[in-house]
Amino acid sequence: KAVVSTQSGHYGRDAQNGGTVVAVAGEDFSVVGCDTRLSEGYSILSRDVSKVRKMTKSGLLGCVGFHGDVLTLTKMLDAKMKQYKHTHGKDMSCEAMAQMLSSTLYYRRFFPYWVYNMVAGIDNNGKGCVFSYDPVGSYERETYRACGSASAIIQPLLDNQLGYKNQSNANPAPLTRDRVRTMVRDIFAAASERDIYTGDEVEISVIDANGIDTQRFPLRSD
């Protein structure tokens, strides 16, 4: 239970268990990367906890923040996905899944889930898509986004390498699966050198018309 402290002015559910998620949308694919470290304060609770959950064959959900709320939220979303499939006889599309998550978060806006979320996958037109959220359900579709404990480190790198922000003579190169996978791997390797809550392994998933391909690579483990 969340215990309100009248002396400190905060409640006990504000624990942050670290972790980072990065998502990038390409022309006909999406790439999602996350680390596998679960921590609290200066203690590492586990070195093998993925922050990304497979929702459908073309959609992934990334969650970071308070791990108890992550488990509660994903359990509820799993139930809603199953109910949708039994009712309509098909999996939910990535856009519908994004809207469902927004409604679920907004329903709890007065006592929100302490979780930052991202949905990534393939839309109804076969294009890569990424949706980012705040804890009360506001969301937008983007080309790339980072969330979690190392987001302040990673987002400027994404703005530079993928968004070409403030570059007058930029010549954007086309995004390929291998290029984005390598970039996400390098970004996590750099972030793990500066953020103690990101590390151990990076799990990178590539989503396209053929399904989801997932690989893991080592990061700093100290």
Side-chain angles (χ1 to χ4, degrees):
K1 294 183 179 179
V3 180
V4 177
S5 171
T6 57
Q7 295 180 349
S8 62
H10 68 276
Y11 56 90
R13 200 175 63 105
D14 62 356
Q16 291 291 309
N17 297 119
T20 305
V21 177
V22 172
V24 179
E27 178 64 24
D28 58 351
F29 67 93
S30 290
V31 176
V32 183
C34 72
D35 72 302
T36 62
R37 177 174 294 178
L38 184 71
S39 56
E40 182 175 1
Y42 294 107
S43 300
I44 296 176
L45 306 180
S46 176
R47 298 184 185 274
D48 189 24
V49 176
S50 176
K51 312 300 189 306
V52 173
R53 187 178 188 87
K54 180 180 178 180
M55 303 302 286
T56 67
K57 62 182 180 180
S58 62
L60 295 176
L61 170 68
C63 301
V64 292
F66 175 47
H67 193 59
D69 280 354
V70 170
L71 297 177
T72 301
L73 177 60
T74 53
K75 182 179 179 180
M76 179 177 293
L77 294 177
D78 282 343
K80 290 186 176 184
M81 298 287 289
K82 290 178 182 177
Q83 184 180 23
Y84 181 94
K85 188 169 184 177
H86 291 323
T87 302
H88 300 280
K90 62 179 181 179
D91 286 330
M92 195 177 288
S93 67
C94 203
E95 296 99 317
M97 186 167 63
Q99 179 60 55
M100 178 195 68
L101 175 56
S102 175
S103 300
T104 303
L105 295 173
Y106 186 72
Y107 179 77
R108 283 284 300 270
R109 63 192 178 279
F110 297 116
F111 195 60
Y113 295 108
W114 210 254
V115 181
Y116 291 90
N117 301 278
M118 278 198 293
V119 171
I122 305 297
D123 66 14
N124 290 327
N125 298 317
K127 305 291 185 182
C129 58
V130 170
F131 299 91
S132 63
Y133 295 77
D134 72 3
V136 293
S138 295
Y139 76 108
E140 64 176 320
R141 182 168 179 169
E142 300 184 275
T143 305
Y144 56 87
R145 176 60 61 179
C147 70
S149 59
S151 60
I153 301 172
I154 294 176
Q155 192 62 43
L157 292 173
L158 295 174
D159 287 337
N160 178 268
Q161 296 296 307
L162 297 178
Y164 299 96
K165 303 292 186 181
N166 302 315
Q167 298 183 40
S168 58
N169 297 319
N171 185 21
L175 290 179
T176 64
R177 292 163 177 76
D178 291 339
R179 180 189 172 210
V180 175
R181 183 191 285 116
T182 301
M183 183 183 300
V184 170
R185 179 182 178 180
D186 292 343
I187 283 174
F188 270 94
S192 66
E193 297 288 336
R194 291 289 183 176
D195 178 34
I196 64 172
Y197 304 113
T198 299
D200 294 312
E201 287 187 309
V202 56
E203 180 181 283
I204 302 177
S205 299
V206 179
I207 314 148
D208 57 22
N210 298 319
I212 301 174
D213 176 47
T214 301
Q215 294 178 291
R216 283 193 175 194
F217 303 97
L219 297 174
R220 282 192 66 142
S221 58
D222 56 356

